[in-house]
Amino acid sequence: MHQASHIGLIGLGVMGRNLALNMADHGFTVTATDPWPEARQSLVTELANYSQPERIRITPGVAELVAALPAPRNILLLVKAGATVDSLIAQLTLLLEPGDTLIDSGNSFYRDTMRRESELADQGFHFIGLGISGGEEGARRGPAMMAGGDAAAYARIKPVLETIAAHYGDSPCCARVGRNGAGHFVKMVHNGIEYGIMQLLAEAYLLLRDLGGLDHGRMAATFRAWNNTELASYLIEITAEILDKQDDLTGAPLVEMILDQAQQKGTGRWTSEAALEFGIPTPTLSEAVFGRALSALKAERLAAADMLSGPSPVPLKTDSAAFIESIRQALLGSIISCYAQGLALIEAAGRELDWQIELATVAGLWRAGCIIRADLLARVMNAYQTPGQSGNLLCTSEFAQLLATIQPGWRETAALAVTGGIPVPGLLSALAYFDGLRQPRSAANLIQAQRDYFGAHTYERTDRNGVFHTEWSQL
Ligand code: 6PG
């Protein structure tokens, strides 16, 4: 049997168990363990009803797992990101042999992955940072996977990963996108875009409900109809299902019974922090993080609702079909703007950290299996595969044309939301990004003048080279 077909797996939470079963489904042999006896027992229980139980061996500990695997070993780690990964690596390095590969499949911070890769390389081990998306179902049936690490180590694990991955047509949604932290960086930005799109969908729901006066059945039908347009995607599909769900306890739409405070585990915040660090604007991805933060301030919002006056949304008495189409256009433009922001960040980080990430490959990986999977991503991939097309997604000829056609609805929706007092920071920031990008001359000249006025920070001129300072004050 091919060496790569015998895999080690540490961490038997639901993701680990599902990945082990997914690998076994495809004929691979897995040796798995978890420090918690309960987690090992869960897999034993699942194997009782599994058709090929002999393909998964469970060892009581990490030492037995390492001993059971032929060298060079490939061991997937599916443990909580952070200190747990470091302590597991410390334990494993005492047991491994040079040439073995560890594959960290959690949502690890890409800088940690870069550090771990370098520390392990010094000891003769390979390390792959593997971003996995698609949740529990994805792990079981086919996730999208974004790998970073050295090419030779990836080549050894590639037959397994690309077989168990989601497929778009014949193409596996799994690839090595660059060295060391590149895979985890791309997964992090995937999550940043995920936050952005979720915020935009929440805003569309607010507009349909409070400005359009649609009930939940009609909102669900609207999202279902949108799923047959350019918006077709997993997140649109699940939003339709969510809006249709009744609460068993009250009979009300379940979504209205859920507390309006969004939680977060941190990957969206990391994306915005990276954007600040690399100096790349990702306003919509960041507004989504701030949107969750504002939602969490429930007590403050309740107090402010009594203090702050403003328009209360009054359902429109306009033609609702035209209104709904405007929101669809606004959503489409804003989602494309999210992709553009996230891909620009990947491009910039890849350039700075010498990862040579191909944006067409990234968009291709996201076409199936992951949470942001969407029909549009095939068009994003095509846009970057077209000879001569590079740079910002909004400026590729395909998307520039599409954005020209949907702009009226996008602007109309933004204006209606502002006039009606409906908070839509995602939608407005996405439009402002588009408008900011198409400004041949921004207003930053005034900012430069102000900096020079109060701090003698100097400025450059449009008509000659050099650095200038003006004594601005007449006093
Ligand atoms: C995925 C998801 C996954 C996870 C998010 C949730 O790609 O499968 O993005 O990684 O569900 O991290 O993140 P929050 O808890 O921060 O919303």
Side-chain angles (χ1 to χ4, degrees):
M1 193 177 276
H2 194 283
Q3 289 287 18
S5 65
H6 194 172
I7 303 291
L9 191 155
I10 302 175
L12 291 174
V14 64
M15 289 294 286
R17 289 203 304 279
N18 283 355
L19 271 184
L21 291 165
N22 183 353
M23 288 192 269
D25 285 349
H26 288 94
F28 301 114
T29 307
V30 185
T31 299
T33 194
D34 191 291
W36 295 96
E38 296 82 0
R40 299 199 297 272
Q41 188 52 45
S42 295
L43 184 54
V44 172
T45 309
E46 278 196 59
L47 289 180
N49 296 313
Y50 184 62
S51 57
Q52 312 281 348
E54 70 285 354
R55 291 186 183 160
I56 301 182
R57 263 191 289 170
I58 303 169
T59 63
V62 167
E64 294 86 347
L65 176 134
V66 172
L69 293 168
R73 299 170 183 82
N74 289 305
I75 303 177
L76 254 79
L77 315 181
L78 273 141
V79 297
K80 195 171 165 4
T84 315
V85 178
D86 284 313
S87 58
L88 184 57
I89 290 174
Q91 196 186 349
L92 280 163
T93 48
L94 303 174
L95 304 163
L96 298 176
E97 292 171 66
D100 289 350
T101 302
L102 296 179
I103 302 128
D104 175 16
S105 314
N107 268 337
S108 289
F109 184 53
Y110 74 99
R111 295 266 179 207
D112 287 339
T113 304
M114 293 169 75
R115 168 179 59 78
R116 289 168 186 146
E117 200 263 353
S118 147
E119 287 168 1
L120 284 165
D122 289 345
Q123 301 170 65
F125 305 121
H126 303 287
F127 188 66
I128 290 175
L130 184 71
I132 301 193
S133 178
E136 297 170 16
E137 188 59 21
R140 184 69 188 83
R141 305 280 163 218
M145 289 184 276
M146 297 138 252
D150 76 66
Y154 180 73
R156 275 195 296 278
I157 189 79
K158 174 179 160 156
V160 181
L161 298 183
E162 296 194 0
T163 304
I164 66 163
H167 281 67
Y168 183 88
D170 291 335
S171 313
C173 289
C174 176
R176 173 183 173 271
V177 292
R179 295 179 306 115
N180 53 54
H184 276 140
F185 191 90
V186 169
K187 172 63 187 9
M188 176 190 78
V189 177
H190 164 283
N191 282 27
I193 295 172
E194 174 186 301
Y195 273 51
I197 295 173
M198 289 166 75
Q199 170 70 25
L200 292 166
L201 296 178
E203 293 174 7
Y205 146 74
L206 213 55
L207 290 165
L208 291 172
R209 190 190 66 185
D210 295 351
L211 218 48
L214 271 66
D215 64 22
H216 290 73
R218 281 196 65 205
M219 284 195 283
T222 300
F223 275 88
R224 262 196 299 278
W226 286 350
N227 208 32
N228 293 321
T229 70
E230 300 103 320
L231 284 174
S233 60
Y234 172 72
L235 284 169
I236 290 270
E237 188 186 321
I238 67 166
T239 304
E241 275 188 48
I242 289 167
L243 290 168
D244 243 350
K245 188 87 175 166
Q246 303 295 306
D247 177 25
D248 290 341
L249 294 174
T250 62
L254 179 55
V255 71
E256 301 307 334
M257 305 308 296
I258 295 177
L259 189 64
D260 55 334
Q261 289 181 298
Q263 299 188 352
Q264 48 186 316
K265 290 205 281 287
T267 47
R269 193 191 78 224
W270 289 348
T271 307
S272 291
E273 285 169 353
L276 291 171
E277 184 187 333
F278 290 104
I280 298 298
T282 59
T284 313
L285 314 193
S286 304
E287 285 292 3
V289 181
F290 292 135
R292 291 194 191 193
L294 188 58
S295 83
L297 303 177
K298 178 83 175 175
E300 267 186 72
R301 288 190 288 116
L302 284 171
D306 290 334
M307 295 287 301
L308 305 177
S309 61
S312 304
V314 178
L316 295 167
K317 293 189 181 60
T318 56
D319 173 22
S320 69
F323 168 71
I324 290 170
E325 175 56 16
S326 294
I327 298 179
R328 192 192 72 83
Q329 294 184 1
L331 199 48
L332 184 55
S334 301
I335 288 173
I336 294 168
S337 186
C338 275
Y339 294 150
Q341 295 168 32
L343 290 168
L345 176 58
I346 290 174
E347 198 274 329
R351 206 171 348 100
E352 191 135 329
L353 297 168
D354 195 22
W355 284 334
Q356 279 132 30
I357 297 178
E358 283 179 17
L359 297 184
T361 304
V362 172
L365 291 181
W366 292 345
R367 286 175 301 171
C370 63
I371 302 297
I372 65 167
R373 60 185 181 264
D375 284 6
L376 264 180
L377 286 162
R379 291 173 71 173
V380 175
M381 182 182 174
N382 290 342
Y384 280 117
Q385 275 178 332
T386 307
Q389 300 276 4
S390 62
N392 194 290
L393 179 70
L394 304 188
C395 299
T396 58
S397 52
E398 169 148 11
F399 283 94
Q401 277 166 32
L402 179 57
L403 290 166
T405 63
I406 60 174
Q407 253 185 79
W410 197 359
R411 293 190 189 284
E412 198 177 317
T413 305
L416 281 174
V418 171
T419 315
I422 305 222
V424 289
L427 199 152
L428 297 180
S429 64
L431 185 55
Y433 177 79
F434 172 79
D435 280 335
L437 195 63
R438 63 185 196 86
Q439 291 292 307
R441 181 153 166 81
S442 74
N445 43 332
L446 180 63
I447 293 169
Q448 283 295 81
Q450 290 161 337
R451 292 178 70 249
D452 191 53
Y453 186 114
F454 60 68
H457 293 301
T458 73
Y459 57 88
E460 290 174 278
R461 292 181 58 97
T462 55
D463 58 350
R464 65 200 67 191
N465 291 331
V467 172
F468 299 87
H469 169 60
T470 296
E471 286 303 324
W472 294 90
S473 176
Q474 309 296 324
L475 303 175

